[in-house]
Amino acid sequence: ELPPSICLLHDLKRLNVECNSLRELPEHIGDMACQELNANSNALSSLPCSIVRMPNLRHLCINDNRIDCLPLDVGNLRHLEVLHASKNRISELPTSICRLASLQSLWLDFNKTTALPADFYQLRRLQELKMEGNPDMVLPPVEKLVEGA
């Protein structure tokens, strides 16, 4: 277990808690000013709601966990450039993900994702998208993905 007092490290830039069998992250993690959070290869089933309040978060790596869904307000992470959530159980993406204007790399491979939000084309800075291993995925028509490009 990660002690809640870690959230008092307000000037911490990078937090790596990879491979610790963590079942949860502290609820007040949103009070931290981290730019990078690596929680790969744990036993997380969800992310604390406060994570969307991390004002400086640029890299969020949560690969190889048991996460069912991303926070509904994930789009509030306006500086997020990297979101790696491979090998989880994510079935549906919140529509707010389309507001991640800085997002460049999105890994959602080997989840249970069935569709991309209709406004996915708004992720204009996206350079890398990994979606393999989602057998029930239905992609929108290419015209819809490049709409407004």
Side-chain angles (χ1 to χ4, degrees):
E1 181 176 314
L2 199 59
S5 59
I6 197 150
C7 299
L8 298 174
L9 300 173
H10 297 293
D11 293 329
L12 191 68
K13 300 293 183 224
R14 290 179 193 87
L15 177 59
N16 186 335
V17 294
E18 187 171 15
C19 299
N20 280 299
S21 300
L22 296 175
R23 290 194 177 110
E24 60 184 23
L25 295 174
E27 181 53 45
H28 294 288
I29 200 162
D31 297 336
M32 299 179 77
C34 281
Q35 294 177 2
E36 297 179 20
L37 174 57
N38 180 346
N40 291 333
S41 302
N42 280 289
L44 302 174
S45 59
S46 65
L47 296 173
C49 294
S50 71
I51 203 165
V52 301
R53 293 194 323 256
M54 295 180 82
N56 302 318
L57 192 62
R58 293 188 182 330
H59 292 231
L60 176 58
C61 298
I62 51 173
N63 297 315
D64 195 20
N65 279 286
R66 300 173 186 158
I67 298 170
D68 292 320
C69 61
L70 296 173
L72 289 177
D73 293 328
V74 70
N76 291 351
L77 295 170
R78 59 188 182 142
H79 297 293
L80 196 66
E81 298 170 357
V82 173
L83 174 54
H84 290 175
S86 299
K87 298 181 183 174
N88 279 286
R89 299 173 182 172
I90 300 168
S91 59
E92 187 175 342
L93 298 176
T95 56
S96 73
I97 200 168
C98 301
R99 294 196 324 256
L100 294 174
S102 300
L103 194 65
Q104 297 172 21
S105 179
L106 177 60
W107 293 5
L108 292 167
D109 49 318
F110 301 100
N111 275 283
K112 296 181 179 188
T113 310
T114 57
L116 297 175
D119 291 335
F120 196 76
Y121 69 90
Q122 292 180 354
L123 297 174
R124 297 177 193 255
R125 292 199 176 135
L126 193 64
Q127 298 173 18
E128 180 183 33
L129 175 62
K130 292 178 74 172
M131 294 295 300
E132 67 269 21
N134 288 287
D136 296 326
M137 172 63 73
V138 176
L139 294 174
V142 173
E143 302 81 36
K144 185 65 177 170
L145 286 176
V146 294
E147 186 176 302

